[in-house]
Structure formats: C-alpha cells, structure tokens
Amino acid sequence: MSPFLIAPSILSANFACLGSEVEQVIEAGADLVHFDVMDNHYVPNLTVGPLVCESLVKYGIKKPIDVHLMVEPVDQMIEDFATAGAHRISFHPEATKHLDRSVQLVVDNGCEVGLVLNPATPLNCLDHIIDKLDFILMMSVNPGFGGQKFIPQTLEKIRAVKQRVQASGKQIRIQIDGGVKVDNIRSIAEAGADTFVAGSAIFNQPDYKQVIDQMRLELSKVNMA
Ligand code: DX5
Ligand code: ZN
C-alpha cells in the first residue's frame, strides 16, 4: 500500500466548472477524487448523482473516483455509480438493511469497498464484515456538509480502528473525512489514518498545489513510534 493518499472532496469545488476544478486539483497532486453523494434523506443535504460521475469520466478524469454514499437505501446507487465509473464506493452501515449483501454488491461490481463510521457509530459494526473491506472511512464530522470542525475524539477512535485492522491481518486503509486541514493532518496520521479527505481546506484556497504540498510536508514528519 502506498503510505498516504490525499483525496480532495469536490463538495467544496465550483460546480459551475467541475471538470476543470477536478483537473486542477489532480494537477496539484490529488491521489483520489472524493465524490460526496447526499440524498436529503440519510443526510439533510442534496448533491450530485451518477450522471455527474459519468460526466467526469467522459471528460477524461483518470484518477480513481472515491464515491462516498450518504444515501438510503444504498444498493441501487452502488450499481449506478459502478456503471458510472466509480473506483471505490463507501456507504454507511445505518443506511442498508443487509450490510453483507451491500458490501458484496460493491465487490461484485468491481470496486473497492469501504464502510463509513459516523462519529457516534460503535465499532462493533465492523464485527463479521471487516475482513471483506478495502477501507474504513471514519467521519470526523457529522455527515452532510463541508466546512465543519474536526471532532477531536475521532483521534482516539482512529487508534481503536487501527488496532482492529491490525488484528484482522488484512491490508485495510483507514480514511478520515471532515475538518482535515494542514494543521491537524499530521496528528490524524499519527493516530493511524492513511487516506485524507479534505474539501474546504483545499478548494477554499486559491492555490490547491500549495495546500496539498503543505499537507504532504506535514505527513513527511509523521512519527509512527
Ligand atoms: C461531509 C463530507 C465530506 C466533506 C468534507 O459529509 O463527507 O467529504 O466534503 O469537507 P471538509 O473537508 O470541508 O470538512
Ligand atoms: Zn465525504
């Protein structure tokens, strides 16, 4: 596994010129394109669907599209986003009645699969399913909006998830989403995360490369001892 991945969330991009925004953030060093899907049902906000994902692929975006489903139910959207060109798909366990079936559906559609834990989701939701996951997406804000403040208790939770991942003996990435900035990315990495979603921290600045470079500089100082 490559050590650290940076996944800008296009939720904070300018949707009037999304293709160009995504190109620019890839040019600036993004590893993944984080694509937040909200349905005004599972979360109180509404964003974009598979048509927009497909448009980005047709536009020529080659970096993996990391689809974060904040929708309920999830199964139809899994199939639709896989068809639209998603590479990774994650969803919330509360949003499906049949967790194992939904996880398997992502796998059967050829995508990497992740389970998303809200700040108050207990870790026992990983029981009986962790072995099938490629990544665990940990929310460090309550899902629904960009630009919220990082919930500090998440650091302890990341450490606990890291232990579960190590106990599983599997190569499972730990991704963090919400309030990630240049000034906290290092401590988040030291807690055990390896994939970093950042929306407002990147897109609200004029120079995306400068922010991503600063994040990588912080990550280069990570002390895992
Ligand atoms: C929130 C989304 C996040 C959001 C992060 O529900 O899942 O991906 O875009 O935005 P920032 O980085 O601004 O907290
Ligand atoms: Zn997200």
Side-chain angles (χ1 to χ4, degrees):
M1 292 203 300
S2 61
F4 295 125
L5 300 178
I6 294 182
S9 164
I10 60 171
L11 187 61
S12 292
N14 180 353
F15 277 85
C17 47
L18 189 59
S20 157
E21 285 273 76
V22 173
E23 261 179 348
Q24 284 178 51
V25 86
I26 290 171
E27 189 69 20
D31 298 299
L32 304 170
V33 178
H34 187 76
F35 193 106
D36 286 308
V37 184
M38 305 184 187
D39 67 350
N40 189 37
H41 171 70
Y42 179 68
V43 289
N45 199 357
L46 186 64
T47 59
V48 287
L51 190 65
V52 176
C53 179
E54 189 184 353
S55 298
L56 288 176
V57 173
K58 284 188 177 155
Y59 182 79
I61 299 304
K62 297 277 190 281
K63 284 283 180 191
I65 299 183
D66 175 38
V67 172
H68 173 191
L69 293 178
M70 288 161 274
V71 303
E72 182 182 358
V74 299
D75 290 359
Q76 186 63 50
M77 286 299 107
I78 288 170
E79 303 210 53
D80 291 354
F81 271 97
T83 305
H87 298 75
R88 315 165 99 229
I89 298 178
S90 59
F91 60 87
H92 294 246
E94 301 88 349
T96 181
K97 289 202 170 80
H98 303 283
L99 181 57
D100 184 81
R101 176 183 289 152
S102 300
V103 165
Q104 193 59 45
L105 194 56
V106 178
V107 175
D108 291 346
N109 276 276
C111 296
E112 291 181 22
V113 60
L115 203 58
V116 193
L117 309 190
N118 283 333
T121 305
L123 296 192
N124 64 9
C125 74
L126 296 168
D127 291 350
H128 316 294
I129 199 71
I130 190 167
D131 285 1
K132 295 188 177 178
L133 301 177
D134 296 298
F135 63 104
I136 297 165
L137 175 50
M138 303 197 52
M139 295 304 302
S140 37
V141 297
N142 285 293
F145 302 94
Q148 301 181 78
K149 208 170 166 310
F150 184 89
I151 298 173
Q153 289 84 347
T154 313
L155 292 177
E156 201 49 52
K157 198 170 176 189
I158 296 172
R159 289 187 198 100
V161 167
K162 178 84 178 176
Q163 283 182 359
R164 290 204 178 212
V165 166
Q166 283 171 337
S168 78
K170 304 273 178 183
Q171 298 269 64
I172 302 168
R173 301 197 75 101
I174 300 177
Q175 183 168 4
I176 185 84
D177 186 2
V180 177
K181 312 271 177 220
V182 170
D183 63 11
N184 63 9
I185 196 167
R186 179 178 171 185
S187 57
I188 298 167
E190 287 175 345
D194 54 58
T195 307
F196 306 88
V197 176
S200 53
I202 295 173
F203 284 103
N204 289 2
Q205 295 298 322
D207 188 341
Y208 305 158
K209 184 170 186 313
Q210 191 177 46
V211 182
I212 293 175
D213 284 352
Q214 285 173 339
M215 287 178 166
R216 292 208 194 277
L217 182 64
E218 288 301 306
L219 290 171
S220 73
K221 301 177 200 163
V222 165
N223 179 1
M224 298 304 283

